[in-house]
Amino acid sequence: MQDHVTPRRVVILGGGFAGLFAARALRRSPVAVTVVDRRAHHLFQPLLYQCASGILSEGQIAQPLRGVLRRHHNVRCVLAEATDVDAGARLVHARRPGGGIVQLPYDDLIVAVGMRQSYFGHDEFAAHAPGMKTLDDALDIRRRIYRAFEMAETAANDRERQQWLTFALVGGGPTGVELAGQIREIAGHTLDREFQQIDSANARVLLFEGSDAVLGAFGPRLAHRAVRTLRHLGVELHLGTMVTDIDAHGLTVQDHDGRTTRFGARTVLWTAGVEAPPIAGALARATGAKQDRAGRILVEPDLTVPGHPEIRVTGDVMSLNRLPGLAEVAMQSGAYAGRSVRHVVEGRTKAPKPFKYVDLGSAAYIARGRAVVKAGPLHLSGLSGWLAWLFIHLAFLTGFRSRLGAVLSWSVAFATSSRRERAFILSDTDAPAGREPAPKAPPPPP
Amino acid sequence: MQDHVTPRRVVILGGGFAGLFAARALRRSPVAVTVVDRRAHHLFQPLLYQCASGILSEGQIAQPLRGVLRRHHNVRCVLAEATDVDAGARLVHARRPGGGIVQLPYDDLIVAVGMRQSYFGHDEFAAHAPGMKTLDDALDIRRRIYRAFEMAETAANDRERQQWLTFALVGGGPTGVELAGQIREIAGHTLDREFQQIDSANARVLLFEGSDAVLGAFGPRLAHRAVRTLRHLGVELHLGTMVTDIDAHGLTVQDHDGRTTRFGARTVLWTAGVEAPPIAGALARATGAKQDRAGRILVEPDLTVPGHPEIRVTGDVMSLNRLPGLAEVAMQSGAYAGRSVRHVVEGRTKAPKPFKYVDLGSAAYIARGRAVVKAGPLHLSGLSGWLAWLFIHLAFLTGFRSRLGAVLSWSVAFATSSRRERAFILSDTDAPAGREPAPKAPPPPP
C-alpha cells in the first residue's frame, strides 16, 4: 500500500446508487472521498412511484446522505450542484444552494450524476405534465392525483368532471406502467365509497406509448403479459402514438398514419424520456469525451473517459454497450469504479478487467399481487412475479429501518387497499380556473 | 322524532377537531351534513411540531377527511374555502380551489374554522419567519431546520456559519417550547457525527417570549419546571422581550426598558400569535355578532351567535369565558354543537344546558423523556409527565393505523435519536445569497 502524507482525493458527483456504491467500495481505502449532490438525500428511485401514489412516505424512500454514509469515516458530503469540470487543473466547480461557488480538487473523479426527465425539445409540456425523477416530482404527482378526484367531486359540469376523472400517462416503460396500475388501484379501491357526486372507479387511465409494446425491455413474452394485466385493470392502452401537444385540459396524440386525436385530461404525467444534466455536457467539453443522443458520456470498457484515466463515469449517465438505465447497472458500475480507484491506491499496476454487467433481472410492479419479473432465464408474472418483486426490493432497500417500515406500509396497503400518505397541499394559486383553449384542430375523441 | 321529507341540512365549516366532533355527534341523526374545508385532510395539530422535526410523516398526522368520515353516511365533504355567509337566506358561499363558487344552503350552521397565525400587523415577518399552523408550515419548517445545518457546513465564513447555526423561536407557548426542544435534540443527537466542518451540537436555540414565563397557561409551578428543562437542554431563554424586526439574517428585539438587541439567525420560527380567518369577519358582519381583539366570535353560553339560534361557533374561533385555543376545547365544543342540533332535530323543546368545558388537562412535550402535564390537581413533569403525554396523545390520535405507526416512529426516534422523515426539497431559488442588510440601529449582540 502506498504511503500518503495527504490522502488521495476522490470526488464523487452524485449520491444515487452509483455514487453510493462507489463510496462504499472505497470505505476501507486511505483516500479522502467527497460526495457532491444537490440534494441532501439518497433516493430509492425504483419505489418513487409508491411515494407518488401514497403508499410510502418521503422518509421511507429518501434517506439523508449523511446518515447513510455516517460510518464511512473517509467520506464527507457537500450539498452543491456540480456546474463545471476543469480537467487540466483537476478541479470541480459546484454551486451551493446559497449561490456561492465551491471548488473541489480531485485526484480521481467519479461521475454519477444520473439523468433527468426529457420532453424531447417540448419543455413547455413540463408545466402540464410533470416527470417522475425526483422526490419533488413524486409529491407533485401525489397532489395532482388526489386533487383530481376532489375537483371532479365539485366540478361545475359533466365535461369538466370527465376531464378531472381522466388520467393520461405518456411513456410505457416501467414508471409509466407502474403509475397507471397505481392510479387504477386508487380509483377502484383506495377511494371506494368516499365520494358522493362521482364514482371514483369510473376514472379513465390512458397510457400512451410511441412503440408497439409496453415494457419493451422485458422481452415480448412479459410485455404481452403486462398488456393483458393492464387491460384487465382497466387501463386504456394507446400504443404507437406520439404526443404532439399538451395543455391544462388535455393532450393531442398522433398515430403512425399521421391521424391526430385529442383527449381531455386534467392530469397528464410524463415518463417518456431522459436526458443528461448540463454537467455531462461540461465534462464532455472539458475532456473531449463524446456524448450519445441523450447526452450520456461514452466511456472506455473500464468506465474511464478516453484520455483521462482519472475520470470515471458510472450509472445512468454512462454510455457503454447500450446498457439500460437501471438501478442494478448503477450499483454495479459505481462499485466497479470505486474498486478501480482502490486498486490504483493500492499500487496495482495490472490493467483492470473491463466492466461486465451481470443482469440480475428486472421487475415492474403493476398492481396489488401482480408484477412482471425477468431474471436470466426466469420470466415471472402474476403472483409469483409479485413475490419476486417484493423480495428484490426488500433486499435492496437501504437501511434496516426503511425496510421494516416499508414492509409495514405494504402490509397495510395490500391488506386494506388504503394508503396512509394521502395528504397534499393546495396552494392558493392551485388549479387555476383558466378557460379551456379552443380545440386546435382535431375533433374530440369518441 | 320529526318527519322530514328532505332532511335538515347542517353545514359544518372546518374539518379540524371541532368540525369532526360535531359531525360525529350527528352521526345517527336524520340530517344531511356537509363538511366544508379548504384542505382535504384532518390535521392532528398537537403533533404538527413532530412532523416539522422529522419524527412523523405527513400521513401520520394528516388523514383524508373523506377517509375519517367514510362511515358517516349522512356526511359529504366539500373541498372549498368558505368566503361569506348570507344569514338571511341561510346560505354559505365557498370558493373551490379551481376558482368557482359553491353555494351551500343550511338549516343549521356550525362554524369551526379555527385560527391562523398572526404577526400582529407585521405581515412582512412571514417571509422570514414561518408560522406553525398548517401541514405546509410544518414541511417548510422541516426544510429550514435541516437545510440550516447543510448551509452551515459549507458556509463561506464564520459569521455566516454562526448565523446558520442559530435558531430563533418567537413565542413561548407549547408550540414554541416544543420546537425549541426538538431543535436542540436534532442538533445534539440526531445529527451527531454527520458533519465534518461544524459541530451540530453547538447550534444555539434562542426562545423569545413577551411575557415573563414560558407555558404561562400551565401555571407557575410547571412553567418554572419548563424553564429549568429548557435551560438544561441548552435553550437560551429571552423572557420579557418583543420582536421589532425580522429579516433573512436575524431579528431585533426590545426588552421592557426599551433597549434593543440584534441577534444573527438564519432560521426564525414564529409561534407568537393567532388571528381569526376572514370568514369570521364575514360572519360577524352578516349576523351582527361581536369579535374579540383576535377576531374570535363572541357566543352565547349555548355557543349560538346572538339572535341566530341556527348558527353555532365552536373551537379556537369561538370566544367564550376566555377558554384557551386547545384541542380539548375544540373537541368538546364541537361535540356540544352537534348534540344541540341533534336535540333540535329530535324535537326537544327544553333549552339546552350551557356549554361547560371540562378541563382534562394540558400537556407539552419538551424533549425525549421530558414533558409537563397539568390535569386537574395533577402536575407532572419529567419522565412521569412524558409518560402521561404519551398516553394522552395515543388515546386521541385519530384512527388505529396512525396510532400504530406513531408508536413505531416514536419507539425508533426515542430509542435511537434518529428521525426518519428528514428529506427536504431544495428549490433552485432557495436560500438566496442576498447580502446581509446594514444593521438598522442596534449594535450586534455580545
Side-chain angles (χ1 to χ4, degrees):
Chain A
M1 194 178 283
Q2 274 181 267
D3 196 39
H4 283 284
V5 178
T6 52
R8 197 177 173 99
R9 295 159 303 183
V10 182
V11 171
I12 300 174
L13 303 184
F17 285 123
L20 217 50
F21 274 68
R24 281 186 181 169
L26 287 164
R27 185 169 177 180
R28 287 189 181 79
S29 289
V31 294
V33 178
T34 304
V35 176
V36 185
D37 201 303
R38 64 202 184 99
R39 314 272 179 207
H41 54 256
H42 165 71
L43 190 64
F44 195 87
Q45 212 146 10
L47 289 175
L48 196 54
Y49 72 95
Q50 292 208 359
C51 181
S53 72
I55 291 178
L56 300 178
S57 75
E58 294 112 281
Q60 283 175 312
I61 60 158
Q63 293 206 294
L65 258 180
R66 295 183 189 284
V68 174
L69 294 168
R70 187 194 293 229
R71 295 211 180 86
H72 290 60
H73 298 292
N74 60 356
V75 174
R76 71 177 181 125
C77 297
V78 173
L79 181 70
E81 181 168 9
T83 52
D84 207 357
V85 175
D86 184 336
R90 300 195 174 177
L91 212 56
V92 169
H93 298 261
R95 195 170 54 86
R96 293 174 58 210
I101 294 290
V102 192
Q103 293 197 329
L104 302 161
Y106 63 82
D107 298 304
D108 290 283
L109 178 64
I110 298 177
V111 179
V113 292
M115 297 288 272
R116 61 181 196 183
Q117 207 78 63
S118 163
Y119 290 87
F120 304 126
H122 286 284
D123 287 348
E124 72 276 13
F125 290 177
H128 306 298
M132 250 272 291
K133 295 295 281 180
T134 66
L135 192 56
D136 206 358
D137 290 339
L139 296 180
D140 186 24
I141 290 176
R142 181 195 288 176
R143 192 177 56 88
R144 285 174 190 252
I145 292 173
Y146 289 104
R147 184 192 61 183
F149 291 97
E150 294 286 345
M151 297 303 290
E153 174 81 356
T154 54
N157 54 56
D158 275 350
R159 183 190 169 84
E160 190 197 325
R161 183 170 302 116
Q162 201 45 56
Q163 288 180 347
W164 281 116
L165 284 178
T166 306
F167 299 82
L169 290 133
V170 187
T175 306
V177 166
E178 284 161 342
L179 275 176
Q182 290 289 303
I183 296 174
R184 279 297 306 159
E185 273 199 16
I186 289 170
H189 299 285
T190 308
L191 299 179
D192 188 31
R193 281 177 299 148
E194 290 195 7
F195 293 88
Q196 288 81 37
Q197 311 300 317
I198 60 166
D199 182 354
S200 63
N202 288 339
R204 289 176 70 193
V205 177
L206 318 172
L207 181 61
F208 299 95
E209 162 62 32
S211 76
D212 286 321
V214 295
L215 300 184
F218 286 67
R221 197 169 122 201
L222 286 180
H224 182 71
R225 291 268 177 90
V227 165
R228 222 171 49 192
T229 306
L230 286 170
R231 290 223 164 102
H232 178 80
L233 281 170
V235 175
E236 302 171 31
L237 289 172
H238 296 270
L239 302 176
T241 56
M242 299 287 289
V243 173
T244 56
D245 193 32
I246 306 180
D247 58 48
H249 295 85
L251 73 175
T252 306
V253 303
Q254 190 169 33
D255 67 14
H256 285 329
D257 303 325
R259 272 187 306 244
T260 60
T261 315
R262 166 136 183 120
F263 293 87
R266 300 250 184 162
T267 310
V268 184
L269 309 178
W270 184 274
T271 65
V274 290
E275 67 186 11
I279 181 66
L283 179 71
R285 281 189 297 278
T287 59
K290 291 204 170 60
Q291 292 179 275
D292 73 4
R293 248 179 43 181
R296 291 181 197 88
I297 307 276
L298 273 67
V299 294
E300 302 283 355
D302 64 354
L303 309 193
T304 60
V305 169
H308 287 274
E310 79 284 7
I311 304 180
R312 293 166 177 85
V313 181
T314 63
D316 289 6
V317 76
M318 151 192 98
S319 175
L320 177 72
N321 304 333
R322 306 181 68 86
L323 283 173
L326 294 174
E328 262 302 306
V329 177
M331 292 176 189
Q332 293 182 25
S333 61
Y336 175 91
R339 281 196 309 270
S340 303
V341 171
R342 199 172 68 199
H343 291 177
V344 174
V345 173
E346 289 169 356
R348 301 195 201 175
T349 48
K350 212 177 124 194
K353 281 183 196 166
F355 171 64
K356 192 163 176 297
Y357 171 58
V358 183
D359 184 0
L360 297 177
S362 2
Y365 170 100
I366 302 174
R368 206 149 44 117
R370 291 202 177 87
V372 293
V373 173
K374 180 173 152 294
L378 219 62
H379 288 66
L380 303 172
S381 61
L383 189 66
S384 58
W386 182 75
L387 290 173
W389 172 91
L390 203 63
F391 174 78
I392 293 166
H393 282 81
L394 282 185
F396 283 110
L397 251 185
T398 317
F400 168 71
R401 254 175 311 120
S402 293
R403 216 172 287 167
L404 182 69
V407 171
L408 282 165
S409 298
W410 287 336
S411 309
V412 171
F414 297 158
T416 67
S417 296
S418 70
R419 285 148 197 269
R420 197 187 66 189
E421 300 290 337
R422 281 174 51 187
F424 63 90
I425 288 161
L426 267 170
S427 69
D428 285 342
T429 55
D430 219 359
R435 296 189 174 284
E436 183 167 8
K440 287 206 175 146
Chain B
M1 193 179 283
Q2 274 180 266
D3 198 38
H4 283 286
V5 179
T6 51
R8 197 177 173 96
R9 294 158 302 182
V10 182
V11 171
I12 300 175
L13 303 185
F17 285 121
L20 217 52
F21 274 68
R24 281 187 182 168
L26 288 164
R27 186 170 178 178
R28 287 191 180 79
S29 288
V31 293
V33 178
T34 304
V35 176
V36 186
D37 201 301
R38 62 200 185 101
R39 314 274 179 205
H41 54 257
H42 165 72
L43 189 64
F44 195 88
Q45 212 148 8
L47 289 174
L48 196 54
Y49 72 96
Q50 293 208 0
C51 181
S53 72
I55 291 178
L56 299 177
S57 74
E58 293 112 281
Q60 283 175 312
I61 60 159
Q63 291 204 297
L65 258 179
R66 293 183 190 285
V68 174
L69 294 169
R70 187 195 291 229
R71 296 211 180 86
H72 290 58
H73 298 293
N74 60 355
V75 173
R76 71 177 181 124
C77 297
V78 173
L79 182 70
E81 180 168 7
T83 52
D84 207 357
V85 175
D86 185 336
R90 299 195 175 180
L91 212 55
V92 169
H93 298 262
R95 194 170 55 85
R96 294 175 58 211
I101 295 291
V102 192
Q103 292 197 330
L104 302 161
Y106 63 82
D107 298 305
D108 290 284
L109 177 64
I110 297 177
V111 179
V113 292
M115 296 287 273
R116 60 181 197 184
Q117 207 78 63
S118 162
Y119 290 87
F120 305 126
H122 285 284
D123 287 349
E124 71 278 11
F125 290 177
H128 306 299
M132 250 270 292
K133 294 295 280 181
T134 67
L135 193 57
D136 205 357
D137 290 339
L139 297 180
D140 185 24
I141 290 176
R142 182 195 284 176
R143 191 177 57 88
R144 284 174 191 252
I145 293 173
Y146 288 104
R147 184 194 61 181
F149 292 96
E150 294 286 345
M151 297 304 289
E153 174 80 357
T154 54
N157 54 57
D158 276 349
R159 182 187 168 85
E160 190 196 325
R161 182 170 304 116
Q162 201 45 56
Q163 287 181 345
W164 281 117
L165 284 178
T166 305
F167 299 81
L169 290 133
V170 187
T175 306
V177 166
E178 284 161 342
L179 276 175
Q182 290 289 303
I183 297 175
R184 279 298 306 159
E185 272 200 15
I186 290 170
H189 299 285
T190 309
L191 299 179
D192 188 30
R193 282 176 302 147
E194 290 195 9
F195 293 88
Q196 288 80 39
Q197 309 301 314
I198 59 166
D199 181 354
S200 63
N202 288 337
R204 288 176 72 192
V205 178
L206 317 173
L207 181 61
F208 299 94
E209 160 62 32
S211 76
D212 284 321
V214 296
L215 299 184
F218 286 66
R221 198 170 122 199
L222 286 178
H224 181 71
R225 291 266 179 90
V227 164
R228 223 170 50 191
T229 307
L230 287 169
R231 290 222 164 102
H232 178 80
L233 282 169
V235 176
E236 302 172 32
L237 289 173
H238 297 270
L239 302 175
T241 57
M242 299 286 292
V243 173
T244 56
D245 193 34
I246 306 180
D247 58 50
H249 296 84
L251 74 173
T252 306
V253 302
Q254 190 169 34
D255 65 16
H256 286 330
D257 303 325
R259 270 186 309 242
T260 60
T261 314
R262 168 140 182 119
F263 294 88
R266 300 252 184 161
T267 310
V268 183
L269 310 178
W270 184 275
T271 66
V274 291
E275 65 186 13
I279 180 67
L283 179 71
R285 281 190 298 279
T287 60
K290 292 204 170 59
Q291 293 180 275
D292 73 4
R293 247 176 47 179
R296 293 180 195 89
I297 306 276
L298 272 66
V299 294
E300 302 283 355
D302 64 354
L303 308 193
T304 60
V305 169
H308 287 274
E310 79 284 7
I311 305 181
R312 290 165 180 85
V313 181
T314 62
D316 288 7
V317 77
M318 153 192 97
S319 176
L320 178 71
N321 303 334
R322 307 180 68 85
L323 283 172
L326 294 174
E328 262 303 307
V329 177
M331 293 177 189
Q332 292 182 25
S333 60
Y336 175 92
R339 280 196 311 270
S340 303
V341 172
R342 200 173 67 201
H343 290 178
V344 175
V345 173
E346 289 170 358
R348 301 197 201 176
T349 48
K350 211 178 122 196
K353 283 185 197 164
F355 171 63
K356 191 163 176 301
Y357 171 58
V358 183
D359 185 0
L360 297 177
S362 3
Y365 169 101
I366 303 175
R368 203 146 47 113
R370 291 203 178 87
V372 292
V373 173
K374 180 174 152 292
L378 219 61
H379 289 65
L380 303 171
S381 61
L383 189 65
S384 57
W386 182 73
L387 289 172
W389 173 91
L390 203 63
F391 174 78
I392 292 167
H393 283 79
L394 283 184
F396 284 108
L397 253 185
T398 318
F400 168 72
R401 255 175 312 120
S402 291
R403 217 172 287 168
L404 183 70
V407 171
L408 282 165
S409 298
W410 286 337
S411 309
V412 171
F414 297 156
T416 67
S417 295
S418 70
R419 284 146 198 269
R420 196 186 68 188
E421 300 291 336
R422 280 175 50 188
F424 63 91
I425 288 162
L426 267 170
S427 69
D428 285 341
T429 54
D430 218 358
R435 296 188 176 283
E436 183 168 6
K440 287 206 176 147

